[in-house]
Coordinates of all heavy atoms in Angstrom, one line a residue:
M1 N 90.9 73.4 119.7 CA 91.2 72.2 119.1 C 90.3 71.1 119.7 O 90.3 70.9 120.9 CB 92.7 71.9 119.2 CG 93.1 70.5 118.8 SD 94.9 70.2 118.8 CE 95.4 70.9 120.3
K2 N 89.6 70.4 118.9 CA 88.8 69.3 119.3 C 89.6 68.1 119.6 O 90.5 67.8 118.8 CB 87.7 69.0 118.3 CG 86.8 70.1 118.0 CD 85.4 69.6 117.9 CE 84.5 70.8 117.5 NZ 83.5 71.1 118.3
L3 N 89.3 67.4 120.7 CA 90.1 66.2 121.0 C 89.5 65.1 120.2 O 88.3 64.9 120.1 CB 89.9 65.9 122.5 CG 90.6 66.9 123.5 CD1 90.3 66.5 124.9 CD2 92.1 67.0 123.2
R4 N 90.4 64.3 119.6 CA 90.1 63.1 118.8 C 90.5 61.9 119.6 O 91.5 61.9 120.3 CB 90.7 63.2 117.5 CG 90.2 64.4 116.7 CD 91.1 64.6 115.4 NE 90.7 65.8 114.7 CZ 91.1 67.0 114.9 NH1 91.8 67.3 116.0 NH2 90.7 68.0 114.2
P5 N 89.9 60.7 119.3 CA 90.3 59.5 120.1 C 91.8 59.2 119.9 O 92.4 58.7 120.9 CB 89.4 58.4 119.4 CG 88.2 59.2 118.9 CD 88.7 60.5 118.5
E6 N 92.3 59.4 118.7 CA 93.7 59.1 118.5 C 94.6 60.0 119.3 O 95.8 59.7 119.5 CB 94.1 59.1 117.0 CG 94.0 60.4 116.3 CD 92.6 60.8 115.8 OE1 91.6 60.1 116.1 OE2 92.6 61.8 115.0
M7 N 94.1 61.1 119.8 CA 94.9 62.1 120.5 C 94.8 61.9 122.0 O 95.6 62.4 122.8 CB 94.4 63.5 120.2 CG 94.6 64.0 118.8 SD 93.8 65.5 118.4 CE 94.7 66.7 119.5
T8 N 93.8 61.2 122.5 CA 93.5 61.1 123.9 C 93.6 59.7 124.5 O 93.4 59.6 125.7 CB 92.1 61.7 124.2 OG1 91.1 60.9 123.5 CG2 92.0 63.1 123.8
G9 N 93.9 58.7 123.7 CA 93.9 57.3 124.2 C 94.6 57.1 125.5 O 94.1 56.7 126.5
D10 N 95.9 57.5 125.5 CA 96.7 57.3 126.7 C 96.3 58.2 127.9 O 96.2 57.7 129.0 CB 98.2 57.5 126.4 CG 99.1 57.1 127.5 OD1 98.9 56.0 128.1 OD2 100.1 57.8 127.8
A11 N 95.9 59.4 127.6 CA 95.4 60.3 128.6 C 94.1 59.8 129.3 O 94.0 59.8 130.5 CB 95.2 61.7 128.1
L12 N 93.3 59.3 128.4 CA 92.0 58.8 128.9 C 92.2 57.5 129.8 O 91.6 57.4 130.9 CB 91.1 58.4 127.8 CG 89.6 58.1 128.1 CD1 89.0 59.3 128.9 CD2 88.9 57.9 126.8
T13 N 93.1 56.7 129.4 CA 93.5 55.5 130.2 C 94.0 56.0 131.6 O 93.6 55.4 132.6 CB 94.5 54.7 129.5 OG1 94.0 54.2 128.3 CG2 94.9 53.5 130.4
R14 N 94.9 57.0 131.6 CA 95.4 57.5 132.9 C 94.3 58.1 133.7 O 94.3 57.9 135.0 CB 96.5 58.5 132.6 CG 97.8 58.0 132.1 CD 98.8 59.1 131.7 NE 99.9 58.6 131.1 CZ 101.0 58.1 131.8 NH1 101.0 58.1 133.1 NH2 102.1 57.7 131.1
L15 N 93.4 58.8 133.1 CA 92.3 59.4 133.9 C 91.4 58.4 134.5 O 90.9 58.5 135.6 CB 91.5 60.4 133.0 CG 92.3 61.7 132.7 CD1 91.5 62.5 131.7 CD2 92.6 62.5 134.0
K16 N 91.1 57.3 133.7 CA 90.2 56.3 134.3 C 90.9 55.6 135.5 O 90.3 55.3 136.4 CB 89.9 55.3 133.2 CG 88.9 55.8 132.2 CD 88.6 54.8 131.1 CE 87.6 55.4 130.1 NZ 87.2 54.5 129.0
R17 N 92.2 55.4 135.3 CA 93.0 54.8 136.4 C 92.9 55.7 137.6 O 92.8 55.3 138.8 CB 94.4 54.5 136.0 CG 95.2 53.7 137.0 CD 96.6 53.4 136.5 NE 96.6 52.7 135.2 CZ 97.3 53.1 134.2 NH1 98.2 54.2 134.3 NH2 97.3 52.5 133.0
A18 N 93.1 57.0 137.4 CA 93.1 58.0 138.5 C 91.7 58.0 139.1 O 91.6 58.2 140.4 CB 93.5 59.4 137.9
R19 N 90.7 57.9 138.4 CA 89.3 57.8 138.9 C 89.2 56.7 139.9 O 88.7 56.8 141.0 CB 88.3 57.7 137.8 CG 86.8 57.6 138.4 CD 85.8 57.7 137.3 NE 86.1 56.7 136.2 CZ 85.4 56.7 135.1 NH1 84.5 57.6 134.8 NH2 85.7 55.8 134.2
G20 N 89.7 55.5 139.6 CA 89.7 54.4 140.5 C 90.5 54.7 141.7 O 90.1 54.3 142.8
Q21 N 91.7 55.3 141.5 CA 92.5 55.6 142.7 C 91.8 56.6 143.6 O 91.9 56.5 144.8 CB 93.9 56.2 142.2 CG 94.8 55.2 141.6 CD 96.0 55.9 141.1 OE1 96.0 56.9 140.3 NE2 97.2 55.5 141.5
L22 N 91.1 57.6 143.0 CA 90.5 58.6 143.8 C 89.3 58.0 144.6 O 89.1 58.3 145.8 CB 89.9 59.7 142.9 CG 89.2 60.9 143.6 CD1 90.1 61.5 144.7 CD2 88.8 61.9 142.6
N23 N 88.6 57.1 144.0 CA 87.5 56.3 144.7 C 88.1 55.6 145.9 O 87.5 55.6 147.0 CB 86.8 55.4 143.8 CG 85.9 56.1 142.8 OD1 85.4 57.2 143.1 ND2 85.6 55.5 141.7
A24 N 89.3 55.0 145.7 CA 90.0 54.3 146.8 C 90.4 55.3 147.9 O 90.2 54.9 149.1 CB 91.2 53.5 146.3
V25 N 90.8 56.4 147.5 CA 91.2 57.4 148.5 C 90.0 57.9 149.4 O 90.1 58.0 150.6 CB 91.9 58.7 147.9 CG1 92.1 59.8 148.9 CG2 93.3 58.3 147.3
I26 N 88.9 58.1 148.7 CA 87.7 58.5 149.4 C 87.3 57.4 150.4 O 86.9 57.7 151.5 CB 86.6 58.8 148.4 CG1 86.9 60.1 147.6 CG2 85.2 58.9 149.1 CD1 86.0 60.3 146.4
S27 N 87.3 56.1 149.9 CA 87.0 55.0 150.8 C 87.9 55.0 152.0 O 87.5 54.7 153.1 CB 87.0 53.7 150.0 OG 86.0 53.7 149.1
M28 N 89.2 55.2 151.7 CA 90.2 55.2 152.8 C 89.9 56.2 153.9 O 90.0 56.0 155.1 CB 91.6 55.4 152.3 CG 92.2 54.3 151.4 SD 93.7 54.7 150.6 CE 94.8 54.7 152.0
M29 N 89.5 57.4 153.4 CA 89.2 58.5 154.3 C 87.9 58.2 155.1 O 87.8 58.4 156.3 CB 89.0 59.8 153.5 CG 90.3 60.3 152.9 SD 90.1 61.8 151.9 CE 89.7 63.0 153.2
E30 N 86.9 57.6 154.4 CA 85.7 57.3 155.1 C 85.9 56.2 156.1 O 85.2 56.2 157.1 CB 84.6 56.8 154.0 CG 84.1 58.0 153.2 CD 83.2 57.5 152.0 OE1 83.2 56.3 151.7 OE2 82.5 58.4 151.5
D31 N 86.8 55.3 155.9 CA 87.1 54.2 156.8 C 88.1 54.7 157.9 O 88.4 53.9 158.8 CB 87.7 53.0 156.0 CG 86.8 52.4 155.1 OD1 85.5 52.6 155.2 OD2 87.2 51.7 154.2
G32 N 88.6 55.9 157.8 CA 89.4 56.4 158.9 C 90.8 55.8 158.9 O 91.4 55.7 159.9
Q33 N 91.4 55.6 157.7 CA 92.7 55.0 157.6 C 93.8 56.0 157.9 O 93.5 57.2 158.0 CB 92.9 54.4 156.2 CG 92.1 53.1 156.0 CD 92.6 52.3 154.9 OE1 93.7 52.4 154.4 NE2 91.7 51.4 154.4
D34 N 95.0 55.6 158.1 CA 96.1 56.4 158.4 C 96.3 57.5 157.4 O 96.3 57.3 156.2 CB 97.4 55.5 158.5 CG 98.6 56.3 158.9 OD1 98.7 56.6 160.1 OD2 99.4 56.6 158.0
C35 N 96.6 58.7 157.9 CA 96.7 59.9 157.0 C 97.9 59.7 156.1 O 97.8 60.2 154.9 CB 96.8 61.2 157.8 SG 98.3 61.4 158.8
R36 N 99.0 59.1 156.5 CA 100.1 58.9 155.6 C 99.8 58.1 154.4 O 100.1 58.4 153.2 CB 101.3 58.3 156.3 CG 102.0 59.3 157.3 CD 103.0 58.5 158.1 NE 102.3 57.6 159.0 CZ 102.5 57.5 160.3 NH1 103.4 58.4 160.9 NH2 101.9 56.7 161.1
E37 N 99.0 57.0 154.6 CA 98.6 56.2 153.5 C 97.6 56.9 152.6 O 97.8 56.8 151.3 CB 97.9 54.9 154.0 CG 98.9 54.0 154.8 CD 98.1 52.8 155.4 OE1 97.0 52.5 155.0 OE2 98.7 52.2 156.4
V38 N 96.7 57.7 153.2 CA 95.8 58.4 152.4 C 96.5 59.5 151.5 O 96.2 59.6 150.3 CB 94.7 59.1 153.3 CG1 93.9 60.1 152.5 CG2 93.8 58.1 153.9
L39 N 97.4 60.2 152.1 CA 98.1 61.2 151.4 C 99.0 60.7 150.3 O 99.2 61.3 149.2 CB 98.9 62.1 152.3 CG 98.0 63.0 153.2 CD1 98.8 63.8 154.2 CD2 97.2 64.0 152.3
T40 N 99.6 59.5 150.6 CA 100.4 58.9 149.5 C 99.6 58.5 148.3 O 100.0 58.8 147.2 CB 101.1 57.6 150.1 OG1 102.0 58.0 151.2 CG2 101.9 56.8 149.0
Q41 N 98.4 58.0 148.5 CA 97.5 57.6 147.4 C 97.0 58.9 146.7 O 96.8 58.9 145.5 CB 96.4 56.7 147.9 CG 96.8 55.4 148.3 CD 97.6 54.7 147.2 OE1 97.1 54.6 146.1 NE2 98.7 54.1 147.5
L42 N 96.7 59.9 147.5 CA 96.2 61.2 146.9 C 97.3 61.8 146.0 O 97.0 62.3 145.0 CB 95.8 62.1 148.0 CG 95.0 63.4 147.6 CD1 93.8 63.0 146.9 CD2 94.7 64.2 148.8
A43 N 98.5 61.7 146.5 CA 99.6 62.2 145.6 C 99.7 61.5 144.3 O 100.0 62.0 143.3 CB 100.9 62.1 146.4
A44 N 99.5 60.1 144.4 CA 99.5 59.3 143.2 C 98.4 59.7 142.2 O 98.6 59.8 141.0 CB 99.4 57.8 143.5
V45 N 97.2 60.0 142.8 CA 96.1 60.5 141.9 C 96.4 61.8 141.3 O 96.2 62.0 140.1 CB 94.8 60.6 142.8 CG1 93.7 61.3 142.0 CG2 94.3 59.3 143.3
S46 N 97.0 62.7 142.0 CA 97.3 64.0 141.5 C 98.4 63.9 140.4 O 98.2 64.6 139.3 CB 97.9 64.9 142.6 OG 98.3 66.1 142.2
K47 N 99.3 63.1 140.6 CA 100.4 62.9 139.5 C 99.8 62.3 138.3 O 100.1 62.7 137.2 CB 101.5 62.0 140.1 CG 102.7 61.9 139.2 CD 103.8 61.2 139.9 CE 105.0 61.2 139.0 NZ 106.2 60.6 139.7
A48 N 98.9 61.3 138.4 CA 98.2 60.7 137.3 C 97.4 61.7 136.5 O 97.4 61.7 135.2 CB 97.3 59.5 137.7
I49 N 96.7 62.6 137.2 CA 95.9 63.6 136.5 C 96.9 64.6 135.8 O 96.6 65.0 134.6 CB 95.0 64.3 137.5 CG1 93.9 63.4 138.0 CG2 94.4 65.6 136.9 CD1 93.1 63.9 139.2
D50 N 97.9 65.0 136.4 CA 98.9 65.9 135.8 C 99.5 65.3 134.5 O 99.6 65.9 133.5 CB 100.0 66.2 136.8 CG 99.6 67.2 137.9 OD1 98.5 67.8 137.8 OD2 100.4 67.3 138.8
R51 N 99.9 64.0 134.6 CA 100.4 63.3 133.5 C 99.4 63.2 132.3 O 99.8 63.3 131.2 CB 101.0 62.0 133.8 CG 102.3 62.0 134.6 CD 102.8 60.6 135.0 NE 104.0 60.7 135.6 CZ 105.2 60.4 135.1 NH1 105.2 59.8 133.9 NH2 106.3 60.5 135.7
A52 N 98.2 63.0 132.6 CA 97.2 63.0 131.6 C 97.1 64.3 130.9 O 97.0 64.4 129.6 CB 95.8 62.6 132.2
G53 N 97.2 65.4 131.6 CA 97.2 66.7 131.0 C 98.3 67.0 130.1 O 98.2 67.5 129.0
Y54 N 99.5 66.5 130.6 CA 100.7 66.7 129.8 C 100.6 65.9 128.5 O 101.1 66.3 127.4 CB 102.0 66.3 130.6 CG 102.3 67.2 131.7 CD1 102.6 66.7 133.0 CD2 102.3 68.6 131.5 CE1 102.9 67.6 134.0 CE2 102.5 69.5 132.6 CZ 102.8 69.0 133.8 OH 103.1 69.8 134.9
K55 N 100.0 64.7 128.6 CA 99.8 63.8 127.4 C 98.9 64.5 126.4 O 99.2 64.5 125.2 CB 99.2 62.5 127.8 CG 100.2 61.6 128.4 CD 101.1 61.0 127.4 CE 102.0 59.9 128.0 NZ 102.9 59.3 127.0
I56 N 97.9 65.2 126.9 CA 97.0 65.9 126.0 C 97.7 67.0 125.3 O 97.6 67.2 124.1 CB 95.7 66.4 126.7 CG1 94.9 65.2 127.2 CG2 94.9 67.3 125.9 CD1 93.8 65.5 128.1
I57 N 98.5 67.8 126.0 CA 99.2 68.9 125.5 C 100.2 68.4 124.4 O 100.3 68.9 123.3 CB 100.0 69.7 126.5 CG1 99.0 70.4 127.5 CG2 100.9 70.7 125.9 CD1 98.2 71.5 126.9
A58 N 100.9 67.4 124.8 CA 101.9 66.8 123.8 C 101.3 66.3 122.6 O 101.8 66.5 121.5 CB 102.7 65.7 124.5
S59 N 100.1 65.7 122.7 CA 99.4 65.2 121.5 C 98.9 66.4 120.7 O 99.0 66.3 119.4 CB 98.2 64.4 122.0 OG 97.5 63.9 120.9
G60 N 98.5 67.4 121.3 CA 98.1 68.6 120.6 C 99.2 69.3 119.8 O 99.1 69.7 118.7
M61 N 100.4 69.3 120.5 CA 101.6 69.8 119.8 C 102.0 69.0 118.6 O 102.3 69.6 117.5 CB 102.7 69.9 120.8 CG 102.5 70.9 121.9 SD 103.8 70.8 123.2 CE 105.2 71.4 122.4
R62 N 101.9 67.7 118.7 CA 102.2 66.8 117.6 C 101.2 67.0 116.5 O 101.5 67.1 115.3 CB 102.2 65.4 118.0 CG 103.5 65.0 118.7 CD 103.6 63.4 118.9 NE 102.5 62.9 119.7 CZ 102.5 62.8 121.0 NH1 103.5 63.3 121.7 NH2 101.5 62.3 121.6
H63 N 99.9 67.1 116.8 CA 98.8 67.3 115.9 C 99.1 68.6 115.1 O 99.0 68.7 113.9 CB 97.5 67.3 116.6 CG 96.3 67.6 115.7 ND1 95.8 66.6 114.8 CD2 95.6 68.7 115.6 CE1 94.8 67.1 114.2 NE2 94.6 68.4 114.6
C64 N 99.3 69.7 115.8 CA 99.5 71.0 115.2 C 100.8 71.0 114.3 O 100.8 71.6 113.2 CB 99.6 72.1 116.2 SG 97.9 72.4 117.0
N65 N 101.8 70.4 114.8 CA 103.1 70.3 114.0 C 102.9 69.6 112.7 O 103.4 70.0 111.7 CB 104.2 69.7 114.9 CG 105.5 69.8 114.2 OD1 105.9 70.9 113.7 ND2 106.3 68.8 114.2
A66 N 102.1 68.5 112.8 CA 101.8 67.7 111.6 C 101.1 68.5 110.6 O 101.3 68.5 109.4 CB 101.1 66.4 111.9
A67 N 100.1 69.3 111.1 CA 99.4 70.2 110.2 C 100.3 71.2 109.5 O 100.2 71.4 108.3 CB 98.3 71.0 110.9
R68 N 101.2 71.8 110.2 CA 102.2 72.7 109.7 C 103.1 72.0 108.6 O 103.3 72.6 107.5 CB 103.1 73.3 110.7 CG 102.5 74.4 111.5 CD 103.6 75.1 112.4 NE 102.9 75.6 113.6 CZ 102.7 75.0 114.7 NH1 103.0 73.7 114.9 NH2 102.0 75.6 115.7
E69 N 103.5 70.8 108.9 CA 104.3 70.1 107.9 C 103.6 69.8 106.6 O 104.2 69.7 105.5 CB 104.8 68.8 108.5 CG 105.9 69.0 109.6 CD 106.4 67.8 110.3 OE1 105.8 66.7 110.0 OE2 107.3 67.9 111.1
R70 N 102.2 69.7 106.7 CA 101.4 69.4 105.5 C 101.1 70.7 104.8 O 100.4 70.7 103.8 CB 100.1 68.7 105.9 CG 100.3 67.3 106.4 CD 98.9 66.6 106.5 NE 98.0 67.3 107.4 CZ 97.9 67.1 108.7 NH1 98.6 66.2 109.3 NH2 97.0 67.8 109.4
G71 N 101.5 71.9 105.4 CA 101.3 73.2 104.8 C 99.9 73.7 105.2 O 99.4 74.7 104.6
E72 N 99.3 73.1 106.2 CA 98.0 73.6 106.7 C 98.1 74.5 107.9 O 99.2 74.4 108.6 CB 97.1 72.4 107.1 CG 96.9 71.4 105.9 CD 96.2 70.1 106.4 OE1 95.9 70.0 107.6 OE2 96.1 69.2 105.6
A73 N 97.1 75.3 108.1 CA 97.1 76.1 109.3 C 96.8 75.2 110.5 O 95.7 74.5 110.5 CB 96.2 77.2 109.2
P74 N 97.6 75.2 111.6 CA 97.3 74.4 112.8 C 96.1 75.0 113.5 O 95.7 76.2 113.3 CB 98.5 74.5 113.6 CG 99.2 75.7 113.2 CD 98.8 75.9 111.7
E75 N 95.4 74.1 114.2 CA 94.2 74.6 115.0 C 94.5 75.5 116.1 O 93.7 76.3 116.5 CB 93.4 73.4 115.5 CG 92.8 72.5 114.4 CD 92.1 71.3 115.0 OE1 91.2 71.5 115.8 OE2 92.4 70.2 114.6
M76 N 95.7 75.4 116.6 CA 96.2 76.3 117.7 C 97.6 76.8 117.4 O 98.4 76.1 116.8 CB 96.2 75.5 119.1 CG 94.8 75.1 119.5 SD 94.9 74.2 121.1 CE 95.0 75.7 122.2
T77 N 97.9 78.0 117.9 CA 99.2 78.5 117.7 C 100.1 77.9 118.8 O 99.7 77.4 119.8 CB 99.2 80.0 117.9 OG1 98.8 80.4 119.2 CG2 98.3 80.7 116.9
E78 N 101.4 78.1 118.6 CA 102.4 77.7 119.6 C 102.1 78.4 120.9 O 102.3 77.8 122.0 CB 103.8 77.9 119.1 CG 104.2 76.9 118.0 CD 105.6 77.1 117.5 OE1 106.4 77.9 118.2 OE2 106.0 76.5 116.5
E79 N 101.8 79.7 120.8 CA 101.5 80.5 122.0 C 100.3 79.9 122.8 O 100.3 79.9 124.1 CB 101.3 81.9 121.7 CG 102.6 82.6 121.2 CD 102.9 82.3 119.7 OE1 102.0 81.9 118.9 OE2 104.0 82.5 119.3
E80 N 99.3 79.6 122.1 CA 98.1 79.0 122.8 C 98.4 77.7 123.5 O 98.0 77.4 124.6 CB 97.0 78.8 121.8 CG 96.4 80.1 121.2 CD 95.4 79.9 120.1 OE1 95.7 79.0 119.2 OE2 94.4 80.5 120.1
L81 N 99.2 76.8 122.8 CA 99.6 75.6 123.4 C 100.5 75.8 124.6 O 100.4 75.1 125.6 CB 100.3 74.7 122.3 CG 99.4 74.1 121.3 CD1 100.2 73.5 120.1 CD2 98.6 73.0 121.9
E82 N 101.4 76.8 124.5 CA 102.3 77.1 125.6 C 101.4 77.5 126.8 O 101.7 77.1 128.0 CB 103.3 78.1 125.2 CG 104.2 78.5 126.4 CD 105.2 79.6 126.0 OE1 105.3 80.0 124.8 OE2 106.0 80.0 126.8
K83 N 100.5 78.4 126.6 CA 99.6 78.9 127.6 C 98.9 77.7 128.3 O 98.8 77.7 129.6 CB 98.6 79.9 127.1 CG 97.8 80.6 128.1 CD 96.9 81.6 127.6 CE 96.0 82.3 128.7 NZ 95.2 83.3 128.1
L84 N 98.4 76.8 127.5 CA 97.7 75.6 128.1 C 98.7 74.8 128.9 O 98.3 74.3 130.0 CB 97.1 74.8 127.0 CG 95.8 75.3 126.4 CD1 95.4 74.4 125.2 CD2 94.7 75.4 127.4
F85 N 99.9 74.6 128.4 CA 100.9 73.9 129.1 C 101.2 74.5 130.5 O 101.2 73.8 131.5 CB 102.2 73.8 128.3 CG 103.3 73.1 129.0 CD1 103.3 71.7 129.1 CD2 104.3 73.8 129.6 CE1 104.4 71.1 129.8 CE2 105.3 73.2 130.3 CZ 105.4 71.8 130.3
L86 N 101.3 75.8 130.5 CA 101.6 76.5 131.7 C 100.5 76.5 132.7 O 100.7 76.6 134.0 CB 102.0 78.0 131.4 CG 103.3 78.1 130.7 CD1 103.6 79.5 130.3 CD2 104.5 77.5 131.5
T87 N 99.3 76.2 132.3 CA 98.2 76.1 133.3 C 98.3 74.9 134.1 O 97.8 74.8 135.2 CB 96.8 76.1 132.6 OG1 96.7 74.9 131.7 CG2 96.5 77.3 131.8
L88 N 99.1 73.9 133.6 CA 99.3 72.7 134.4 C 100.4 72.8 135.4 O 100.6 72.0 136.3 CB 99.6 71.5 133.4 CG 98.5 71.1 132.4 CD1 99.0 70.1 131.5 CD2 97.3 70.6 133.2
A89 N 101.3 73.8 135.2 CA 102.5 73.9 136.0 C 102.1 74.5 137.4 O 101.1 75.2 137.6 CB 103.5 74.8 135.3

């Protein structure tokens, strides 16, 4: 399934924010900051990336469901979407 702008807006915003957070984590490490602070920020980056992935999966599920409701064949099966979802777990 090709990603479309209407499917990825929120996920893309989250990833851009995570990119900024990751740059900050790298700077913190290079500056020798406290490991607790670094790990707290790294956990926030990881969570943001995970949430972006879940948003993409959810959007794909909605997209495929809408195709089914219109009587069209969805681009991905439920099994394929489930497999993608489980790769994030």
Side-chain angles (χ1 to χ4, degrees):
M1 171 173 41
K2 297 219 187 237
L3 295 176
R4 296 168 183 82
E6 66 272 10
M7 296 171 66
T8 60
D10 191 41
L12 192 56
T13 299
R14 288 177 185 273
L15 288 173
K16 287 179 180 180
R17 188 176 309 128
R19 178 175 50 192
Q21 289 175 305
L22 183 56
N23 287 336
V25 169
I26 292 168
S27 293
M28 292 171 73
M29 292 176 71
E30 291 173 340
D31 294 342
Q33 291 198 18
D34 182 75
C35 69
R36 288 175 290 236
E37 294 173 20
V38 170
L39 290 174
T40 298
Q41 291 304 312
L42 191 57
V45 171
S46 179
K47 188 171 184 176
I49 292 170
D50 288 346
R51 286 181 175 249
Y54 294 133
K55 286 284 189 180
I56 292 169
I57 296 289
S59 181
M61 292 171 71
R62 284 192 297 275
H63 177 75
C64 290
N65 191 45
R68 278 188 209 88
E69 289 176 357
R70 292 189 304 268
E72 301 170 4
E75 294 181 54
M76 296 183 79
T77 66
E78 289 180 9
E79 291 80 18
E80 291 171 318
L81 286 166
E82 180 180 355
K83 184 175 180 180
L84 286 175
F85 176 79
L86 291 174
T87 63
L88 297 174

